[in-house]
């Protein structure tokens, strides 16, 4: 019997794909931080932009492929709906000019219902879809979107979404991590001009007071993102409250970790 070997990375196990993807993301992040370009990089053709686009997109795609491989049909069917919610809400807020995003509602919803891997896959897929079809600048942020879904699922598993106060606190925690991870992308890839008009105005204000590009982007993220993600969680909980208990009951993650209030774990009519 002849052994067959394949160099195709997609034949790796889901765990290996997620691990390699996460490693690529970490190396890309470290590369941006260590390079610290101090001037505008020349847009999407500059070295920093290419590093972020290639590293984050490849890492996100590997993470998505590994995460989706183990998802049940019920969860996979929810992904297109969640991604659509992200895109629609994100565009509405973008054109409003507010220093918010609200483009992760579907990501948080899936993370709470189906766990960290499903949440990460939803966030990354949404950014990749937007980046490939509407706004190329969304591609580097796929890693941030994946992190949002992963943390939402992790905190849901720990019971933070059983009560509204702790769920909103979870949103704040998610926002801090999202702000820190996004800052190097906003600063070094887009010259602090890649967000909404409101976000750019806040960053410009911080820079006017002598803060560096990275520090200005980090301050904006740490201040605005926790509020943004708390509102995101509140809206996700509102959508979740409107779902039939029987549908929510179909997700094994909800049952196994009792992520929601007890009355939400009992299907209607039982």
């Amino acid at each position: 019997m002849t052994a067959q070997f394949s160099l195709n990375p997609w034949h790796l196990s889901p765990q290996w794909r997620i691990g390699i993807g996460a490693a690529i993301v970490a190396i890309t992040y470290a590369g941006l931080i260590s390079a610290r370009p101090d001037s505008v990089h020349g847009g999407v053709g500059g070295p920093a932009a290419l590093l972020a686009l290639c590293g984050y997109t490849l890492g996100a795609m590997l993470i998505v492929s590994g995460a989706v491989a183990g998802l049940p049909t019920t969860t996979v069917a929810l992904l297109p709906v969640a991604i659509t919610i992200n895109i629609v809400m994100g565009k509405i807020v973008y054109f409003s000019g507010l220093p918010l995003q609200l483009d992760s509602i579907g990501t948080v919803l899936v993370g709470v219902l189906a766990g960290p891997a499903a949440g990460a896959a939803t966030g990354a897929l949404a950014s990749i879809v937007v980046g490939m079809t509407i706004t190329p600048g969304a591609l580097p942020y796929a890693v941030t979107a994946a992190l949002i879904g992963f943390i939402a699922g992790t905190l849901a598993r720990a019971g933070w979404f059983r009560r509204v106060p702790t769920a909103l606190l979870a949103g704040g925690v998610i926002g801090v991590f999202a702000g820190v991870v996004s800052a190097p992308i906003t600063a070094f890839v887009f010259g602090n001009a890649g967000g909404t008009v409101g976000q750019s105005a806040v960053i410009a204000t911080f820079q006017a007071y002598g803060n560096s590009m990275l520090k200005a982007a980090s301050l904006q993220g740490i201040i605005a993102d926790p509020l943004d993600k708390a509102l995101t969680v509140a809206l996700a909980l509102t959508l979740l409250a409107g779902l039939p208990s029987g549908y929510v009951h179909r997700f094994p993650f909800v049952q196994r970790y009792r992520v929601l209030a007890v009355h939400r774990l009992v299907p209607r009519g039982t």
Side-chain angles (χ1 to χ4, degrees):
M1 182 175 179
T2 304
Q4 295 182 353
F5 300 91
S6 174
L7 297 177
N8 187 344
W10 305 108
H11 289 172
L12 294 170
S13 69
Q15 292 79 7
W16 272 102
R17 278 178 261 171
I18 293 174
I20 293 174
I24 292 174
V25 166
I27 292 171
T28 302
Y29 181 85
L32 288 172
I33 292 294
S34 61
R36 289 179 176 271
D38 55 5
S39 61
V40 177
H41 41 73
V44 294
L50 289 176
L51 171 63
L53 283 170
C54 294
Y56 284 143
T57 302
L58 177 59
M61 291 180 68
L62 284 168
I63 292 172
V64 168
S65 70
V68 172
L71 298 181
T73 304
T74 304
T75 302
V76 174
L78 181 61
L79 297 189
V81 178
I83 291 172
T84 301
I85 293 173
N86 284 354
I87 294 174
V88 172
M89 285 300 300
K91 288 305 173 184
I92 290 175
V93 175
Y94 178 84
F95 288 114
S96 73
L98 295 172
L100 300 172
Q101 295 170 315
L102 299 182
D103 58 354
S104 301
I105 298 171
T107 301
V108 172
L109 183 65
V110 174
V112 172
L113 288 175
T122 304
L125 275 173
S127 291
I128 291 172
V129 169
V130 172
M132 297 251 181
T133 59
I134 304 175
T135 308
L139 282 173
Y141 290 104
V143 60
T144 304
L147 181 66
I148 290 169
F150 180 83
I151 296 177
T154 300
L155 295 179
R157 182 165 55 192
W160 287 48
F161 284 82
R162 292 173 190 159
R163 300 174 62 247
V164 173
T166 53
L168 296 179
L169 179 59
V173 172
I174 293 169
V176 170
F177 280 96
V180 170
V181 172
S182 295
I185 305 172
T186 302
F188 301 148
V189 179
F190 298 107
N192 281 346
T196 66
V197 174
Q199 288 175 314
S200 298
V202 173
I203 292 174
T205 301
F206 283 125
Q207 284 191 259
Y209 280 92
N211 293 294
S212 66
M213 291 175 61
L214 177 60
K215 187 174 181 180
S218 298
L219 288 172
Q220 186 278 330
I222 292 174
I223 292 173
D225 274 27
L227 173 60
D228 176 77
K229 297 307 178 288
L231 291 174
T232 295
V233 167
L235 292 172
L237 290 178
T238 301
L239 291 177
L240 186 59
L243 295 176
S245 295
Y247 177 75
V248 174
H249 185 81
R250 293 170 60 186
F251 290 89
F253 180 78
V254 172
Q255 293 298 309
R256 181 177 181 182
Y257 296 104
R258 301 177 64 84
V259 301
L260 301 174
V262 174
H263 70 276
R264 290 292 295 166
L265 299 179
V266 181
R268 292 174 184 173
T270 61

